[in-house]
């Protein structure tokens, strides 16, 4: 069975299989929107407790780069602007 990978290129996120050396795509499919939506849904489930949970409205992950800067990936659920009207 093929080993599938996900990676980013200059213009999109791709899923597919790599060559033996894992240095080049053997075949790939652009999946940017699908990948971002999957990450969003995963983060809502894992860090917010699900779409129906009201305990947290914002959370995420962060990584420290070698130079000390921090990369933050955050998901937030907000009330719509017209909800209060």
């Amino acid at each position: 069975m093929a080993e599938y990978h996900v990676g980013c290129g200059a213009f999109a996120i791709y899923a597919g299989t790599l060559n033996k050396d894992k240095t080049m795509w053997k075949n790939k499919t652009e999946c940017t929107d699908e990948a971002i939506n999957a990450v969003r849904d995963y983060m809502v489930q894992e860090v917010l407790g699900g779409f129906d949970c009201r305990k947290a409205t914002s959370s995420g992950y962060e990584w420290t780069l070698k130079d000390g800067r921090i990369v933050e990936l955050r998901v937030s659920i907000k009330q719509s602007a017209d909800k209060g009207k």
Side-chain angles (χ1 to χ4, degrees):
M1 179 177 258
E3 185 178 311
Y4 289 90
H5 296 272
V6 177
C8 68
F11 305 105
I13 297 172
Y14 300 98
T17 57
L18 300 174
N19 66 0
K20 246 187 216 183
D21 299 328
K22 297 184 179 182
T23 56
M24 291 182 61
W25 289 107
K26 216 165 118 177
N27 63 61
K28 65 181 177 181
T29 301
E30 190 274 327
C31 64
T32 304
D33 290 340
E34 190 175 1
I36 289 171
N37 291 343
V39 169
R40 176 204 61 208
D41 292 350
Y42 176 81
M43 289 181 68
V44 167
Q45 292 299 324
E46 291 297 310
V47 301
L48 297 183
F51 285 100
D52 296 327
C53 184
R54 304 281 187 220
K55 291 180 186 175
T57 57
S58 183
S59 189
Y61 299 100
E62 66 180 39
W63 301 265
T64 303
L65 300 175
K66 290 178 183 177
D67 65 4
R69 294 180 297 157
I70 296 173
V71 175
E72 183 179 62
L73 181 60
R74 179 165 291 280
V75 62
S76 300
I77 296 178
K78 300 178 183 181
Q79 293 293 332
S80 62
D82 61 343
K83 183 77 173 171
K85 293 180 182 178

